[in-house]
Amino acid sequence: MIQIDSTDIKKQKKLALTWAITFLILFPVLITLGLLMRLRQGEVTEAAPSEFFSYMTLHGLGMAGVLFSFAFAALWYLNSTRYVKLNVKFGWFLYIIIAIGVVGLLIGTLIGKFGPGWYMLYPLPFKGTFWPLWATKLSVISLIILGVGWLVGILHILYALAKEYGGITNLLGWQYLKKDNSNIREIPSMVLITTISLIPGVFALIIGAAMLIMYLLQSFEPSLAFDPLMMKNMVMFFGHTLVNITMYCAVGWVYALLPEFTHREWKVNKAVVYSWNATFFFILFAYLHHLYMDFVQPTSLQYLGQIISYSSAIPATGITMFGVIAQVYHAKMKWSIIPLMFLFGMAGWAIGGFAAVVDSTIALNSSLHNTLWVPAHFHTYMLMGVVLFILGFLYYLFSGNNKEEKDSFGNAGFWIFVLGSYGFLLMFYLGGLNSVPRRYSNYSGIEIDHVRETGVHLAQCAALFVGVLLIGLILMYLSLICRLVQQKATNKKND
Amino acid sequence: MFYLLSFFWNDWLSITMPRHQLIQLPAMLLLGILLAYCFSTLAIQDMYWGIAILIFIMASFIFWMLPHSIDVAVINKHFNRVMHINMLLSGFLLILVFRKIFFEVKILFLGMITAMLLASGITLSVFNMLLCSSFSIEQQKQTGLYLIFIAIALFIFTAITFFSYLRNRSK
């Protein structure tokens, strides 16, 4: 096992803290954009549609980017302080590259009003737009920069892990599948999940780069006409895979950190290897469920989309849920805020995942497609899954040695946050069930009175719940800051 | 080989766009790569120089894909030779850099070239306007189609390289 010296750990921690603070600044800003959108839909404010759509674009791209970047940064930190040596200078370089991409995106959307949504569905960013061409170019270039940063970072982690654990087959856990596995190189479960999550990311980012180059070419030559179906396949392969692996990266650190609280090992075994390897394959093709409404897509791919969406949900989720239950069942553990967040994060993943499977069923998708059910499911596993995992990790990072201490302030914030979030999500689900469409800046154009009125009322309620959620978040922020200050004081004393 | 490709067969290779872009240009690159294998001890040790050279190589690829550059290269033989030398040098330097550069940079470079070729191929195959006045629109579309095939092949090559580097990397 590798020995990592304390100086390296300190350096990596500084990097992780910088990532954490960046996340803590950007996250509420992006939530506020969501709040402004719901207020507009609830007819509380009268923002112009152009503002609504630029907010929607930044909210979508920003959240996906920030959550993935932070999930990646957390994996970087945990891997580099436990299992493998990662170059900290390289880590800072990636931070700067990603920051440049984020700044470009902020300028493109907030100043340039770039507003085709995160998916930038072709040819939407080029036909009858309300934003200038430079905003499209800048946003696309910023996304390319972000992609390059992520790709290089992923490659660095994978290569370092492969060197440490004797190659890709070991990283994928295939040594556990041998008949005689008495003398095998054991791998930590987080390393297995890091590998399984990040390799599909490499392919998604290359295809994403090709797609973005085509967008860039289109922005220089308006007479170009690409096949919209091909572009949609590319954008969904890129976007869906990236969002999917964000969740798996976060699940990876739960495998590593939860055992510290339950005091039980969470080892890799055959079942874990089989299920995560299956997920590795399914991640790449699950995106096909985004194209059900595209009648020109070959029918076989539509069926494949449903089958793979079902298959991708079962192995990793099943084995992880079973693992979590085995970890916490009758465990002599203190239910401090960190394991609580991990447990609720798992619940959010399961609930959001179930809603996603419902939507990926072709028969149901014909009713739920493009309704608020869609943001309902992905907000569930992002807000109540990934975000809770991230907050749990932040508590872990900010806590120093006493990670199980009682924190009534933080706990209050957590419960308020969960209450606000599920209230906010419920409004999305109810909207979906009432056929309220998504991506509408306001509902005044809907001719069916019931749908219009329901949409407006639900948006108002959702805005209220976002307020509650933000109160919870502020309390948790205060508790986090206290922990960080406490940790710094302890470190100073020890030095 | 350089003489044959650049002088003897030049007129034949410059007649159609697929020949010019898909045979002559990659052949020069390949010659450069083969040339580098004759000097097995030569390598660019410094990472910063390595990255700078890879940027130069990528810029060269982009430059020789620009319609105006292609047109001038077909019309002007001297300019065409500059292309040949540039591609030969690019292939040669590519191997020298690849001998010592980090795995991350290698895969990033190959991945980005794949993405660029795929995007260019699709663009050429769908564009209904003549980009290079020296060639026809059918040739342009044909070039695009073959570029897509090359990009797919390079994608597979990148994947193989990626997995082979991750295989048995024990310290």
Side-chain angles (χ1 to χ4, degrees), chain A residues 2-224:
Chain A
I2 192 166
Q3 289 295 320
I4 297 160
D5 65 73
S6 59
T7 330
D8 271 353
I9 293 177
K10 264 187 187 169
K11 283 180 186 170
Q12 293 289 0
K13 189 156 188 175
K14 202 174 170 186
L15 176 64
L17 284 173
T18 312
W19 271 112
I21 289 162
T22 313
F23 170 81
L24 290 173
I25 294 167
L26 288 175
F27 182 58
V29 173
L30 294 170
I31 289 187
T32 310
L33 294 177
L35 174 64
L36 291 173
M37 282 153 61
R38 287 308 259 160
L39 285 172
R40 178 69 191 93
Q41 288 172 329
E43 296 175 359
V44 181
T45 61
E46 290 195 348
S50 60
E51 279 183 14
F52 177 90
F53 286 110
S54 61
Y55 291 166
M56 190 180 81
T57 306
L58 183 58
H59 178 77
L61 281 174
M63 278 294 187
V66 164
L67 294 179
F68 177 70
S69 299
F70 191 77
F72 170 75
L75 273 190
W76 177 291
Y77 171 73
L78 289 170
N79 276 304
S80 65
T81 51
R82 288 158 185 241
Y83 309 124
V84 72
K85 261 196 156 182
L86 295 177
N87 189 332
V88 72
K89 279 186 190 166
F90 197 63
W92 282 107
F93 170 73
L94 292 179
Y95 177 79
I96 292 165
I97 291 267
I98 291 168
I100 292 170
V102 170
V103 170
L105 213 53
L106 285 171
I107 296 171
T109 48
L110 291 180
I111 299 172
K113 303 276 175 229
F114 180 65
W118 78 263
Y119 41 88
M120 304 192 296
L121 210 54
Y122 184 84
L124 202 58
F126 306 102
K127 305 275 183 218
T129 60
F130 53 79
W131 60 87
L133 195 60
W134 70 260
T136 306
K137 286 179 185 169
L138 180 65
S139 303
V140 169
I141 291 169
S142 306
L143 286 173
I144 293 176
I145 293 172
L146 281 171
V148 168
W150 290 330
L151 183 57
V152 181
I154 289 173
L155 292 170
H156 186 63
I157 293 185
L158 287 174
Y159 190 59
L161 285 174
K163 259 179 20 185
E164 182 58 37
Y165 288 95
I168 182 83
T169 49
N170 280 357
L171 288 182
L172 291 170
W174 292 357
Q175 69 275 33
Y176 289 90
L177 308 179
K178 285 178 187 165
K179 272 186 185 167
D180 175 29
N181 58 7
S182 53
N183 199 19
I184 55 163
R185 176 75 198 262
E186 290 207 12
I187 52 161
S189 38
M190 197 183 82
V191 169
L192 171 78
I193 299 168
T194 302
T195 311
I196 301 248
S197 309
L198 296 185
I199 291 178
V202 174
F203 298 109
L205 287 167
I206 292 174
I207 296 299
M211 176 205 78
L212 289 167
I213 292 171
M214 283 193 265
Y215 271 79
L216 207 56
L217 290 171
Q218 174 82 63
S219 71
F220 285 107
E221 181 48 65
S223 64
L224 266 170

Side-chain angles (χ1 to χ4, degrees), chain A residues 118 232 236 240 286-294 369 374:
Chain A
W118 78 263
K232 192 172 176 183
M236 289 304 170
H240 184 271
Y287 84 92
L288 289 166
H289 61 228
H290 285 273
L291 291 108
Y292 287 157
M293 288 292 148
D294 298 272
H369 193 91
V374 183

